[in-house]
Amino acid sequence: MEFELAADADAAARLARLKPLVAGREGRPRSQAVKIVWHDSPDHALLADGLTLAEQRGERRLERVTPGTETWLPGQPPLLPDPPDELPSPLAPLAAFEGRRSISVHRMADATVTLTIDKGTLRAVTAERPVARISLSGDEAAVRLAATLIAGAVPAAVPGCSLAAEAIALAIGGTPQPRHLGAPVLPAEARTVPQALAHILGHLTDVVLAHAPRVLMPPGGDAEDAVHDAIHQMRVAVRRARSAVSIFRAALPEGALDAVGNGLKTLGGRLGPARDWDVFADETIPAIQAAIPGDERLDRLAAAAARQRTMHRKELAQYLASPAFRQLGIDLAWFAAAQGWRALPPPPHQAEPAADSDAAAEPGPEPMTLTQFADGVLQQRWKKLLSAGKRIDELDVPALHDVRLRAKRLRYAAEMFATLHDGKAAKRFIERLSDLQERLGVLNDGAVASHLLPELGGPGGRHAYAAGVIAGFMAARAGRIRPRIVKAFQRFRRQHAYWA
């Protein structure tokens, strides 16, 4: 396995003194000068296709800067696509990396890992910046152990972009384009269940890592909207990833996804309060203030809510800056790229009969295809949603909350597997499902508000009047949204199960 971490130059230099690495080092490190120059045309024709031409020691190769339609997992070396029939012309240097490369071999448990550290400077015409990349190669378990040791000792983490992307961003200004955003889309090459899981988890790991630095931006001013959106997008990505763990758990040996699932649950638990207070402070309270303008008691409650939101954001930021979050990024990226779990035997109910059993001579069942697996997941979640909303016009708020959760789980699954069937039918199905989920979400905002109000003193505290106004406002809004929920569910129920 090959695995890459990013660090600043000072952090990379400290690795030479890291005791577990020094103790297990075999032989002396080798060092050499390294220079990489990335080229493009004046109109950035290669970059427009997510590509660059890298030159090193007289050899040129085409590299991906941003993922295309194929799978490019986080922490993995750049993809090297086939060169086109004709490269744009003229090509000129755009950015470069100059520094030293240190290569050493280390024993980790019962295996060895090759540690390569590139430490130097990214240079463009008008800017330069020190940078370091740490590459590990060897046995999967040993690579994970080494990455964990490094990330626990220095601020090294799975990079959010390739070195080429970082260099090009320095040259043209701005920040590197995120590798992935939004919902994962399965590429044509993902034809098996393990390949699909790896692509989905890899994509969502990229999304989480892309938004984490935005959460750490100083709040206030122009950055406020960016922080608000980053928390929201991270939470959605974590929910999608946890849904993927739930979907694929049955297809893997027992316990294979436990570490990944537990890490995502921890991150979700940090993101949840910050996001809930964002919605309450920035959406719920302002809507009520607009309906009752000039109420000082509501203004005081809004100020108290803003303080609570700030507290939870600080707690989230502390976690995202911690070794624990760096370790989660490593765990997610490592699992997506690892091959060991893909070769494990299937769960007992899918296992082939033993060689000495009476059934050994009988032909076993054909392996389940990805489409068959996806169709089974969609069918099961679809039926559960229809059952939960059978008498939707009579359901109380807790029951409608259950409908919302089932709608969300079905939508995440439908988005993951949308490319396996007719695109138009899947798109229409997801649109109607999203409409239902959105209307149920309005109702859920009231439940969240009632859950948050006790932190501000509740009905018997100093904000009792304002809390009562909010409770009444949310109850009235729930009454107005109910007919729209029923209508959206009935419209969705008439949808054809396009996978059947």
Side-chain angles (χ1 to χ4, degrees):
M1 164 185 265
E2 294 184 66
F3 200 77
E4 186 179 53
L5 299 173
D8 61 41
D10 291 338
R14 299 209 303 270
L15 295 181
R17 302 187 297 274
L18 187 58
K19 289 184 179 180
L21 291 180
V22 173
R25 189 170 63 207
E26 298 186 344
R28 298 182 62 183
R30 292 177 287 123
S31 180
Q32 62 187 47
V34 59
K35 181 177 181 179
I36 307 171
V37 181
W38 294 281
H39 299 73
D40 202 348
S41 62
D43 60 351
H44 301 313
L46 288 176
L47 186 59
D49 292 329
L51 302 170
T52 186
L53 187 69
E55 181 179 3
Q56 186 175 4
R57 297 195 173 195
E59 295 185 0
R60 292 187 167 191
R61 68 180 191 179
L62 205 61
E63 286 185 9
R64 274 227 158 268
V65 179
T66 54
T69 57
E70 64 268 67
T71 297
W72 181 9
L73 298 173
Q76 294 302 290
L79 294 179
L80 308 178
D82 295 330
D85 295 334
E86 184 177 354
L87 288 170
S89 181
L91 290 172
L94 183 60
F97 169 79
E98 292 186 72
R100 301 289 302 179
R101 173 171 292 170
S102 171
I103 304 172
S104 54
V105 178
H106 303 260
R107 178 154 292 279
M108 293 285 163
D110 296 326
T112 58
V113 173
T114 299
L115 171 65
T116 302
I117 302 174
D118 288 340
K119 184 162 65 74
T121 304
L122 289 179
R123 288 194 171 93
V125 175
T126 59
E128 64 178 45
R129 185 171 70 246
V131 69
R133 290 291 169 115
I134 303 163
S135 299
L136 301 163
S137 63
D139 173 79
E140 288 181 351
V143 164
R144 183 180 189 180
L145 177 57
T148 296
L149 285 172
I150 291 170
V154 301
V158 177
C161 65
S162 67
L163 189 61
E166 195 170 344
I168 292 170
L170 181 70
I172 65 178
T175 57
Q177 180 180 342
R179 286 165 47 94
H180 289 110
L181 292 174
V185 177
L186 287 178
E189 68 193 54
R191 299 185 180 276
T192 68
V193 172
Q195 287 172 347
L197 173 58
H199 178 87
I200 290 167
L201 276 183
H203 176 110
L204 295 171
T205 299
D206 274 337
V207 177
V208 168
L209 295 178
H211 288 296
R214 297 171 65 210
V215 177
L216 296 173
M217 293 170 62
D222 295 338
E224 181 60 31
D225 289 343
V227 174
H228 185 107
D229 180 66
I231 293 173
H232 171 57
Q233 296 299 337
M234 280 190 76
R235 191 187 194 191
V236 171
V238 169
R239 285 177 165 177
R240 284 183 169 131
R242 293 186 66 187
S243 184
V245 168
S246 174
I247 287 170
F248 287 93
R249 192 185 296 276
L252 271 63
E254 185 177 355
L257 281 165
D258 285 357
V260 169
N262 291 339
L264 289 168
K265 183 178 180 181
T266 298
L267 177 55
R270 304 279 184 163
L271 287 162
R275 173 58 183 166
D276 287 345
W277 279 103
D278 271 352
V279 173
F280 186 66
D282 292 344
E283 299 176 24
T284 302
I285 294 179
I288 300 172
Q289 287 176 310
I292 313 175
D295 191 309
E296 294 182 358
R297 289 169 290 188
L298 279 175
D299 294 343
R300 287 195 293 270
L301 183 134
R307 290 192 293 270
Q308 285 293 108
R309 187 257 301 275
T310 298
M311 181 189 72
H312 286 289
R313 278 193 181 179
K314 285 182 178 178
E315 291 176 353
L316 173 61
Q318 288 172 356
Y319 174 74
L320 296 181
S322 71
F325 179 69
R326 297 198 297 269
Q327 182 62 53
L328 174 59
I330 290 171
D331 289 343
L332 291 171
W334 178 89
F335 183 88
Q339 296 293 318
W341 62 266
R342 307 185 196 201
L344 292 172
H349 65 279
Q350 297 181 11
E352 296 180 2
D356 59 351
S357 71
D358 294 337
E362 297 294 329
E366 289 292 324
M368 183 181 293
T369 67
L370 175 58
T371 300
Q372 289 171 335
F373 174 80
D375 291 355
V377 170
L378 291 170
Q379 181 71 14
Q380 182 185 52
R381 294 193 169 197
W382 180 61
K383 289 177 68 176
K384 286 184 175 181
L385 173 56
L386 293 183
S387 176
K390 192 172 183 179
R391 296 182 177 179
I392 196 165
D393 54 334
E394 301 175 7
L395 298 181
D396 57 15
V397 171
L400 287 172
H401 177 64
D402 182 61
V403 174
R404 186 185 68 86
L405 292 178
R406 294 189 183 280
K408 180 175 63 178
R409 291 166 186 157
L410 176 58
R411 194 192 97 209
Y412 289 161
E415 288 173 341
M416 290 177 197
F417 301 128
T419 58
L420 299 178
H421 291 282
D422 174 64
K424 290 183 179 179
K427 182 180 179 182
R428 184 168 57 249
F429 183 88
I430 293 170
E431 285 176 349
R432 293 190 178 182
L433 187 54
S434 298
D435 182 51
L436 172 62
Q437 185 184 345
E438 183 178 344
R439 297 183 186 191
L440 286 163
V442 173
L443 194 67
N444 185 63
D445 288 345
V448 172
S450 65
H451 174 71
L452 298 181
L453 283 171
E455 290 190 42
L456 301 177
R462 59 179 299 202
H463 299 293
Y465 167 80
V469 169
I470 289 175
F473 182 91
M474 300 306 289
R477 189 163 71 167
R480 292 194 302 270
I481 198 65
R482 271 181 170 274
R484 298 181 63 199
I485 292 172
V486 173
K487 184 178 179 180
F489 184 81
Q490 291 172 342
R491 186 167 179 258
F492 168 76
R493 189 169 54 186
R494 293 193 294 268
Q495 272 281 99
H496 171 64
Y498 64 87
W499 59 86

